[in-house]
Amino acid sequence: MTGFKKTILASSMMLLSGQAFAAAFQLAEQSVSGLGRAYAGEASVADDASVVARNPALMSQFKGSQVSVAAMYVKPDVSLLGTSTNNGLSPSVLDSDSIAPSAIVPAAFYTTDLGNDWYVGVGSYSQFGLATEFAADYAPGQLAGETEIVTINTKLSVAYQVNDALTVALGLNHVYADAKILRTFGASPTAIPAATEAVNLEGDDHAYGWDVGVSYQLDKHNRFGVHYRSETDVRFEGEFSNQLPAGAPFYGTQGQALPGFVELTLPAIAEVSGSHHINKQTALHYSVVWTGWSSFKTLAAQVEGRGTVFSKDENFSNSLRYAVGGDYQYNEHLKLRAGIAYDESPADQHHMSISIPDTDRTWFSFGGEYQLTAKSSVDIGVSILRGKTQNFVESDNLGQQWGFESKGHATVLGVQYNMHF
């Protein structure tokens, strides 16, 4: 296999890793009650059964059984403006109004009180996911194309209330992950059409991880929570193909599918939260979330019969997310929420890519809970995410350089139904 062919496959694997691990696409959307306060205090607030996701130790705050079902609509607004090229093409060919389609992120949870200070909960939700799409004939096609990552986390948690103040919990996570990467050849001095598939890779995997949670009730007005989620190793196994000629210098597969895989590590996540009731109507919540992106050291891809076709060191850094929010009990039926958060990006400025022009983001969130009956309620939340403008230059496999200015924003709307019995 020539260096040219290896580079094309390597680029597809690199983009897969970036999509799966960039902070902009690490999903926080596990509950709508949390969405309304920018997910401040998620390890210490006990709103509903969604505590299974962020700190199952909080299950001890509920008696009987709880059910929560949620759906969040994510509307990204990621645009590109061309700033330069080195191949004579006008930078305007790089302009794109939106490269990320909208998506619906569902979640469902159930908890129950087993008696004798034991609690159990289950949940199904997603923590990583994205999709980016470019036109098939987009000029820098080797950097663009289509990328899709879907993960489904299914969790079983058990909690034990040690005493009136302390509860501990342990969870087991099953992660199903599915990935699709499609890259085209793009504009070039060769006779190969721009829309020719240079990379077509699909794969999936089942993996397992664990998490622990602690809840400490200082007094009836003040609670603290700590939650840790382990790393999860994922091995995407599937098929690789392209439409490139089989002869030199491309050594393509001409559409023939070959078995291949890439191994990734979903990072560990730790959260520390506090919740304080200031008076009967008002509560303050805050969180610091650490994500261990530095566990992503090296990316390696292999294709059957061709061995390791790519191995590359990455330069991701651990990141922090800060959030503060509150809620106000307006009347016996309605609780109002608001929050703000700052989300750091782990991406190195020298490793930026148009498939994921990641950036630090600020969250502005609002929401509310309406009590439908004595045993049921509905949550509504909205978050507006504003990202910093980024400028960078990216090179393709032919040495062509493409300069971009990227802007990344998003809006998240959610609705959730809760019931206890």
Side-chain angles (χ1 to χ4, degrees):
M1 177 180 292
T2 66
F4 178 85
K5 174 59 179 68
K6 290 182 180 180
T7 304
I8 290 180
L9 180 57
S11 295
S12 73
M13 297 297 102
M14 179 179 65
L15 294 174
L16 170 59
S17 68
Q19 292 289 350
F21 286 93
F25 297 102
Q26 177 187 353
L27 299 178
E29 291 81 10
Q30 282 91 50
S31 77
V32 177
S33 51
L35 178 68
R37 57 175 179 270
Y39 295 103
E42 281 299 275
S44 57
V45 180
D47 283 322
D48 47 61
S50 65
V51 298
V52 171
R54 299 286 283 266
N55 188 359
L58 295 169
M59 292 189 296
S60 64
Q61 300 299 315
F62 305 123
K63 301 304 178 183
S65 299
Q66 315 283 323
V67 173
S68 294
V69 180
M72 284 144 283
Y73 174 72
V74 183
K75 174 64 176 177
D77 180 15
V78 184
S79 60
L80 297 172
L81 179 68
T83 59
S84 65
T85 66
N86 69 345
N87 55 11
L89 293 177
S90 169
S92 63
V93 303
L94 307 180
D95 296 350
S96 181
D97 291 336
S98 181
I99 65 173
S102 302
I104 294 177
V105 182
F109 304 94
Y110 170 80
T111 70
T112 192
D113 177 2
L114 298 178
N116 297 318
D117 298 320
W118 286 95
Y119 303 83
V120 67
V122 293
S124 182
Y125 53 95
S126 180
Q127 281 200 299
F128 297 91
L130 73 118
T132 56
E133 297 178 358
F134 291 82
D137 60 352
Y138 190 59
Q142 297 172 35
L143 311 176
E146 298 180 22
T147 306
E148 181 178 293
I149 302 290
V150 176
T151 65
I152 301 173
N153 191 102
T154 304
K155 182 178 182 180
L156 171 65
S157 296
V158 176
Y160 177 70
Q161 187 170 4
V162 179
N163 53 45
D164 289 342
L166 179 65
T167 302
V168 295
L170 176 66
L172 176 65
N173 296 277
H174 169 266
V175 179
Y176 171 74
D178 182 89
K180 177 183 179 181
I181 300 292
L182 177 63
R183 297 290 178 266
T184 58
F185 196 75
S188 73
T190 72
I192 297 177
T196 301
E197 287 187 6
V199 171
N200 191 325
L201 176 68
E202 295 188 53
D204 62 2
D205 188 26
H206 296 265
Y208 293 90
W210 54 271
D211 67 296
V212 294
V214 176
S215 171
Y216 187 78
Q217 191 81 34
L218 184 64
D219 55 44
K220 65 179 182 179
H221 299 300
N222 301 281
R223 185 188 305 128
F224 298 94
V226 178
H227 182 246
Y228 176 84
R229 178 186 172 96
S230 72
E231 296 178 356
T232 305
D233 294 326
V234 179
R235 176 182 166 118
F236 291 101
E237 295 192 5
E239 295 183 336
F240 166 79
S241 66
N242 61 36
Q243 296 175 338
L244 297 175
F250 304 109
Y251 291 93
T253 72
Q254 293 183 309
Q256 178 187 0
L258 301 175
F261 69 87
V262 61
E263 296 178 334
L264 303 174
T265 299
L266 300 176
I269 303 171
E271 180 170 1
V272 178
S273 297
S275 295
H276 310 280
H277 282 83
I278 300 172
N279 53 47
K280 290 183 178 181
Q281 288 79 35
T282 309
L284 174 68
H285 314 286
Y286 51 86
S287 289
V288 178
V289 179
W290 170 89
T291 305
W293 299 112
S294 63
S295 64
F296 184 48
K297 297 291 186 183
T298 304
L299 179 66
Q302 296 191 18
V303 172
E304 186 174 300
R306 304 188 182 189
T308 301
V309 297
F310 176 66
S311 181
K312 181 180 182 298
D313 292 333
E314 291 290 348
N315 195 32
F316 280 66
S317 300
N318 297 335
S319 65
L320 292 172
R321 184 182 192 273
Y322 309 91
V324 60
D327 46 55
Y328 178 76
Q329 192 71 47
Y330 182 76
N331 57 39
E332 63 177 329
H333 297 289
L334 179 62
K335 177 186 289 186
L336 302 177
R337 300 187 178 100
I340 187 171
Y342 182 74
D343 204 352
E344 293 181 346
S345 168
D348 190 308
Q349 289 296 313
H350 302 292
H351 292 76
M352 299 295 293
S353 171
I354 60 169
S355 68
I356 181 163
D358 196 24
T359 182
D360 298 340
R361 297 164 299 153
T362 302
W363 294 56
F364 303 95
S365 303
F366 309 92
E369 178 182 8
Y370 187 79
Q371 200 72 34
L372 298 173
T373 69
K375 294 187 176 182
S376 64
S377 64
V378 62
D379 288 287
I380 296 175
V382 57
S383 286
I384 300 171
L385 286 65
R386 304 295 295 178
K388 295 180 179 178
T389 299
Q390 297 278 20
N391 287 275
F392 57 95
V393 176
E394 193 172 4
S395 299
D396 66 18
N397 304 299
L398 297 177
Q400 299 178 109
Q401 293 184 341
W402 313 90
F404 302 92
E405 177 182 280
S406 68
K407 295 181 179 181
H409 310 303
T411 301
V412 184
L413 303 172
V415 61
Q416 177 175 309
Y417 176 76
N418 312 294
M419 181 175 65
H420 68 271
F421 49 92

